Structure formats: C-alpha cells, structure tokens
Amino acid sequence: MSFSKKITDLKREVLKESEPLFAHIEDVAEANTLKVLDAMRECRVSDAHFNTTTGYAYDDIGRGKLEELYAKIFGAERALVRTQFVSGTHALATVLFGILRPGDELVSLTGKPYDTMQTVIGYDNPSPGSLKEFGVLYNELPMVAGKVDMAHIKDVITDKTKMVEIQRSRGYSMRSPLSIEDIRAITTEVHRIKPDCICFVDNCYGEFVDYEEPTQAGADIMAGSLIKNPGGGIAPTGGYIVGRDDLVELASYRLTAPGMGDELGASLANNRLLFQGLFLAPHVVSQAIKGAIFAAGMFAKLGYKTLPLPTEVRGDIIQAIELGSADKLIAFCGGIQKYSPVDSFAAPEPWDMPGYADKIIMAAGTFVQGASIEFSADGPLRAPYNVYLQGGLTFEHAIIGIMGAAQAVLDLDGTK
Ligand SMILES: *Cc1c(COP(=O)(O)O)cnc(C)c1O
C-alpha cells in the first residue's frame, strides 16, 4: 500500500475540516468564469481566432483578439499577450526596460523583490544588462511584520521615482501575499503622494484568486506568466502585460523594436491553447487553492508551521511550509515527484538555476516544462528550508501528491 493508515486517516480529517473553506473558493471561481465568458461574448471569440500565423504576422486576428480579451478581463486599456515572452521574468523585465530611462528611480514597496527580479534590477551589483548598468536607480521599502509599511511610503517616493513595484505573491519568502484591498490601499497612497508615479504590479500567481485584479484596484500596469494561473495549464509558454495604453505601448517597443511594437509577432503556438487555457484558468486556480488549503491542513496537523494557515484568506496560490531541514525538503519534493504524471520515476535534486542565488530543488513532473500552475513544489536550499507548493490542474491530483509528500517526510522521521 502506498500510504500509511496515519496518512489516510489524516486525509479524511483534513478534507472534512476544509469543506467550509471551499465554498468561498468555488464562488470566486464561478464569478471569474462568468467574467471570462462575458468578455469572450463581448469580444466575439470564434474559431477563426485559433489559427497559427507565420513571418511578420501583420493583422494576426487571433493574436489581436486574445489581447483584446485579456485587456477586457483585467479591466485594462491594452494588453500584450505573447508566446514570445520566454517567462514571467521576461514579461516583467519588458515593462521595466520599456518604461524606465537612465536617471529614473524604481522603488520596490514590497521589500526585496523575487529572486529573478533581483538579477534584472542589478540588486547586489550592476550585473551585465541590468537596470542599474543602464543607470536606472533603485530603492526599496522593507516590509514590516510581513506587511507593506504604509506609513513610510511617503518617505521613499521622491522627484526621481518614476515607478513603484508591488509584488503581490510571497515569492521565496514567508510574508503574506497582498490582497486586492492591500493593493488598492497602496496604489491610492502612491497616487496621492505623486499622481504620475506608475504603480506596477508583479501579478505572478495572483490571477483569478480574487474577484478583482490589481488593474481594477489602481495598478497602472501589471505582468505575469502564462505557465502560471492565466494559462490554465494549457498555454505552452508565454507571458502577458496589461495596463494603461501608453505604458503597454512602451513595453511593446522593448519586446520587439521601436516603431514595430505589438504589430508583429507570429502566433506560432496554436492560439486555441491560449484561449482555452484562459477559459479554464478560474477553475484550475480554484483546484490549486483547494490543494493549498489541504496541504496546509495536513502539515499543520503534522506539527509544521504553514503560511498561510489552513483557514487564512488567500492572495495567491502558494502554500509555504517550513520543513526545517534540507533532507526533509528533498524528501518532500521526492514525494510530490513520485505522484506526478510525467517523470514520476525521477528523483529531484538541488541545482543552480539561472537567475537564482541559492541552489533550488524542484519537483515538477509537469506536461509543460516548469509550469507551476501544474502541481509542483520547490524551494531554495537555505534555512529554514521552506517548501513552496503550488498549482494542481485537478484537486484529486493535489490530494494524492500531498499525501505522497507527507508520507516521504514521515518515512524520513521513522514515524509511519
Ligand atoms: C514566478 C514569479 C516570477 C517570474 O518567474 P518566471 O519563472 O520567470 O516566470 C516573478 N515574480 C514572482 C513573484 C513569481 O512568483
């Protein structure tokens, strides 16, 4: 038998206790499905939009329609949704390099940014190609007790501050993600202090978690990855940027070339995958969040510190669990990998991932390489050895994977 009695008993107990928490998740998923369907009708999405194109791809109607749809769903003026973005970091960097000029200052209001964004900024040193090397200034406002330091925003916004960056998700840290209400309070405060300061949100892992999106709560521009929430597990690659018309246009000149912008770019991947993924995304996000709640419940009962707690309101799809040792982190990831649909025979090992300072271990037996909307777990090999668990195309898979991880950690302890 794969799972011990202790694990199967715990599963039943946790599922029962989680039931009341699922009602809210299902309500958000239904509201967002309605939002997507309404937008698809208003945009008159049709199968003529699902073709691939070649060459310059001028007048690519599928690409244009997808961008119109993203803009509508996210309550923005314009969108850039492309498989030419190689990742979320690429989409985020395109916003920064598209808009910021030498002498401008970028201020992070959520403390130290996500690992790969540090390399983009030139956080520790002006690394080749970084914003710092181009003469863009950087400052940050450290978070206080896991919250944005609202009272001191006014102290970090100066004449030079062109843009603030607000990271919605926790990244590899134990702080809480921001809620839509948090984001609204921050953008209101920034625009009160300096009306033309651009509020840029790193929305990775946040899409469809709540009824509204940051661009409906005061953000001027935001970006994210298509192999996370909005791709619904179907998009094969890519990223998106949505926001104010003039800002998205500037970003488009960075993605392609000045003068070309968003008018070129072939739909090499079947556009259907991006439309269908977007349609599925609200449901898939709900499956992932249910999995996260289940994982929190399971590991809380096993005596581990979890963030968020099983009962806390969610701002992203990530579940962090403090495992406390490298061997438990490796065992946990091994347990997840074992119950993955792809590469389940492999044992994950820590490696030097490009853009990250510490070694990272990743369990990702995914259909789309590295897609973290699919059930996956990862974490940097540094104390206190937090594992970050996310995704799950089906809640059933998440349940089984989490039982596998719990079993692997218990086996290590010698407690079955
Ligand atoms: C995933 C993520 C990114 C981008 O990472 P990619 O792997 O390049 O897609 C940026 N910021 C946060 C907070 C993220 O979670």
Side-chain angles (χ1 to χ4, degrees), residues 197-221:
C197 185
I198 298 160
C199 290
F200 168 40
V201 173
D202 173 349
N203 201 33
C204 283
Y205 291 130
E207 300 86 359
F208 303 121
V209 170
D210 211 331
Y211 297 100
E212 285 181 306
E213 298 293 332
T215 32
Q216 296 166 312
D220 297 293
I221 190 163

Side-chain angles (χ1 to χ4, degrees), residues 87-89 92 114 116-117 167 169 171 202 204-205 225 228 356:
S87 69
T89 304
L92 292 157
Y114 186 73
T116 58
M117 297 312 292
Q167 184 184 306
S169 178
D202 173 349
C204 283
Y205 291 130
S225 166
K228 293 182 181 172
Y356 294 83

